[in-house]
Amino acid sequence: MNVLKLELNRAFVNRNMLISLFIGIILSLADIFLFSKYYLSQDMVLVQAWIGTNYFFVYNSIFFALLPILACLPFGGSLFNDIESGYDKNICIKVSRMDYISSKCIATFLSGFFAVSVPLLLDLFIVAGLFPNKQPELLCFMVGGATLDCNLFSEVFAYNASLYCLVYILTDGLFAGAIALISLAVTKLSGSFFTVVVVPFVLYIFQGLVMIGDSNGNWSVLGMINPTQQVVTKWYQMLIAYCVILIGSLIVSILYNRKRDIL
């Protein structure tokens, strides 16, 4: 029995994935509509119009605030649903617990990556057809933030602004996948599907507000994954934050399911 293939199919072919993609795409299209309405006739470029770096409207803030919901909704609550329905018992009769939970983790990570990166990538493709792919003016706020103040991926931004967007889409997708795994890790403490999906969001917002950056750097995940880089982030801070989320969630999920009485 190919449990990984089964879990991947469940992760990508379900109503919650469609809902998550719909929310992300609607936010992207709304941002494109407003930016085009007010700035299409002006001397604006692709990197200024993309939702990830467009600080003119609120949709950037909404998208990155809701990122955990978009990441966790597709498959983050699947372990809870499996336990409630008894589905896990039927699966673990045919495969080992380790095969089951490892496949669950892979599918959850990839579903979170997909649900967040696709709207960002689609937005970039659309604005690429509306605005020229050139470097922005040197005196604009974005250039100062990316190359002078925050430094993260500053060489990429200086070389090619659209490549900077693609690097951040990959980065945000990886963080989304790791955040989706938090849902699996908190399943034991959750009493409903809603709780499983919302707990990572609450932790994300709380941590993001409490650990917001200063001149010494930034430990706020909410701040570091936003491509506008309104707070200073060092590369090692992003790497440490990512490893803590990813490895911590995996360890808790695996240990919980190894000890849990399934059969």
Side-chain angles (χ1 to χ4, degrees):
M1 182 179 182
N2 192 336
V3 65
L4 177 57
K5 182 178 179 179
L6 178 62
E7 290 297 302
L8 288 173
N9 184 68
R10 294 178 64 205
F12 285 89
V13 185
N14 67 73
R15 181 180 63 180
N16 289 336
M17 173 63 82
L18 293 177
I19 293 174
S20 183
L21 288 174
F22 177 78
I23 294 172
I25 291 173
I26 287 298
L27 289 173
S28 297
L29 293 178
D31 187 72
I32 293 171
F33 173 78
L34 277 182
F35 195 91
S36 300
K37 180 180 179 181
Y38 291 103
Y39 297 106
L40 187 60
S41 60
Q42 300 186 30
D43 189 22
M44 293 291 182
V45 297
L46 181 149
V47 71
Q48 293 171 308
W50 178 54
I51 188 173
T53 44
N54 176 12
Y55 54 86
F56 293 94
F57 303 107
V58 72
Y59 295 107
N60 169 280
S61 298
I62 294 175
F63 186 94
F64 285 99
L66 292 180
L67 185 142
I69 300 293
L70 301 179
C72 297
L73 183 60
F75 208 56
S78 62
L79 180 59
F80 176 85
N81 286 339
D82 289 356
I83 296 173
E84 288 292 296
S85 65
Y87 176 87
D88 59 333
K89 296 179 181 179
N90 296 324
I91 289 294
C92 288
I93 291 175
K94 303 176 182 179
V95 301
S96 68
R97 293 187 184 202
M98 194 62 190
D99 286 344
Y100 168 68
I101 191 58
S102 60
S103 298
K104 177 75 69 179
C105 289
I106 293 172
T108 301
F109 178 91
L110 293 178
S111 66
F113 181 97
F114 186 83
V116 167
S117 61
V118 165
L120 292 175
L121 191 60
L122 179 63
D123 185 285
L124 185 64
F125 284 159
I126 294 176
V127 297
L130 299 173
F131 296 90
N133 181 17
K134 300 190 299 184
Q135 297 295 102
E137 294 294 330
L138 293 178
L139 296 180
C140 78
F141 168 79
M142 186 185 308
V143 174
T147 61
L148 300 178
D149 297 330
C150 298
N151 299 320
L152 197 61
F153 306 129
S154 59
E155 296 86 356
V156 178
F157 188 94
Y159 173 74
N160 190 313
S162 60
L163 182 59
Y164 173 85
C165 298
L166 291 172
V167 168
Y168 250 105
I169 290 174
L170 176 62
T171 301
D172 293 338
L174 291 174
F175 264 94
I179 290 172
L181 292 174
I182 298 177
S183 289
L184 300 183
V186 301
T187 296
K188 180 180 180 180
L189 306 175
S190 303
S192 67
F193 177 88
F194 175 80
T195 306
V196 172
V197 174
V198 170
V199 166
F201 168 74
V202 173
L203 293 175
Y204 171 81
I205 295 297
F206 178 77
Q207 189 271 348
L209 295 177
V210 171
M211 304 188 72
I212 195 68
D214 55 25
S215 58
N216 297 317
N218 164 59
W219 290 102
S220 166
V221 176
L222 174 60
M224 67 176 59
I225 66 174
N226 194 321
T228 57
Q229 295 202 58
Q230 296 179 0
V231 291
V232 177
T233 302
K234 308 298 183 182
W235 68 269
Y236 62 86
Q237 292 177 309
M238 176 176 278
L239 180 61
I240 292 173
Y242 182 76
C243 290
V244 168
I245 297 172
L246 179 67
I247 298 175
S249 298
L250 287 173
I251 291 175
V252 172
S253 299
I254 293 173
L255 290 179
Y256 166 53
N257 282 274
R258 286 184 64 183
K259 296 180 179 181
R260 181 168 60 90
D261 183 15
I262 295 178
L263 302 179

